[in-house]
């Protein structure tokens, strides 16, 4: 969430050459789990409906790309080691960039540099 505006700028700048997607995964810092102070209050998702409600909070930030939900088995999160957040770039079905685990190693500018070369 800290770099959401930067991510949206990527979508805006490169939507002519790339498709973007946000997969809303399990909550990293759920209020009823390992929570930070002064964080958005979202409990662990116990159902797909809970995850949908949590994702609707993200929708209020007006993402410029589709937002989809991970399964309750957390298949996307597990397959892509995405918790708490991570950027990937795929080309023709193959991963060409795997970002570091966020938030400290979440660097949209690295995706920007790659997409600039692909323009």
């Amino acid at each position: 969430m800290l770099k959401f505006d930067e991510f949206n700028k990527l979508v805006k700048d490169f939507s002519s050459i790339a498709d973007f997607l946000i997969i809303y995964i399990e909550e990293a810092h759920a209020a009823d789990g390992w929570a930070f102070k002064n964080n958005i209050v979202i409990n662990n998702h116990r159902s797909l409906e809970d995850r949908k409600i949590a994702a609707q909070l993200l929708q209020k930030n007006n993402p410029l790309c589709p937002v989809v939900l991970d399964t309750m088995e957390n298949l996307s999160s597990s397959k892509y080691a995405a918790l708490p957040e991570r950027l990937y770039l795929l080309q023709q079905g193959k991963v060409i960039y795997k970002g570091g685990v966020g938030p400290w190693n979440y660097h949209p500018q690295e995706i920007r540099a790659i997409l600039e070369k692909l323009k």
Side-chain angles (χ1 to χ4, degrees), residues 7 24 33-34 58 61 65 69 81 85 87 93-95 97 104 108 114-115 119:
F7 177 81
Y24 197 94
W34 187 63
L58 174 66
N61 290 307
C65 67
L69 306 177
E85 61 188 350
L87 291 169
K94 298 202 186 298
V95 174
Y97 170 86
W104 297 277
I114 295 167
L115 290 174
K119 256 186 165 177

Side-chain angles (χ1 to χ4, degrees), residues 78-95:
S78 296
K79 250 189 197 310
Y80 289 95
L83 190 67
E85 61 188 350
R86 181 169 263 176
L87 291 169
Y88 278 86
L89 184 58
L90 288 78
Q91 187 175 45
Q92 298 177 342
K94 298 202 186 298
V95 174

Side-chain angles (χ1 to χ4, degrees), residues 11-118:
V11 177
K12 184 178 176 187
D13 293 348
F14 295 100
S15 62
S16 64
I17 64 164
D19 297 319
F20 293 83
L21 178 70
I22 295 171
I23 303 174
Y24 197 94
I25 62 171
E26 60 193 301
E27 201 58 44
H29 302 290
D32 58 347
W34 187 63
F36 288 130
K37 291 181 181 179
N38 302 322
N39 202 12
I40 298 171
V41 177
I42 301 173
N43 289 329
N44 280 306
H45 312 141
R46 289 180 172 64
S47 67
L48 202 53
E49 185 63 23
D50 288 348
R51 188 160 288 170
K52 179 181 172 188
I53 291 166
Q56 288 170 341
L57 292 172
L58 174 66
Q59 290 284 8
K60 290 180 181 179
N61 290 307
N62 298 315
L64 299 179
C65 67
V67 176
V68 299
L69 306 177
D70 197 0
T71 66
M72 289 308 296
E73 294 79 23
N74 302 309
L75 294 176
S76 294
S77 181
S78 296
K79 250 189 197 310
Y80 289 95
L83 190 67
E85 61 188 350
R86 181 169 263 176
L87 291 169
Y88 278 86
L89 184 58
L90 288 78
Q91 187 175 45
Q92 298 177 342
K94 298 202 186 298
V95 174
I96 63 169
Y97 170 86
K98 177 182 175 182
V101 176
W104 297 277
N105 294 306
Y106 181 90
H107 302 296
Q109 70 272 17
E110 293 175 357
I111 294 279
R112 176 173 292 283
I114 295 167
L115 290 174
E116 286 286 353
K117 292 178 186 174
L118 296 175

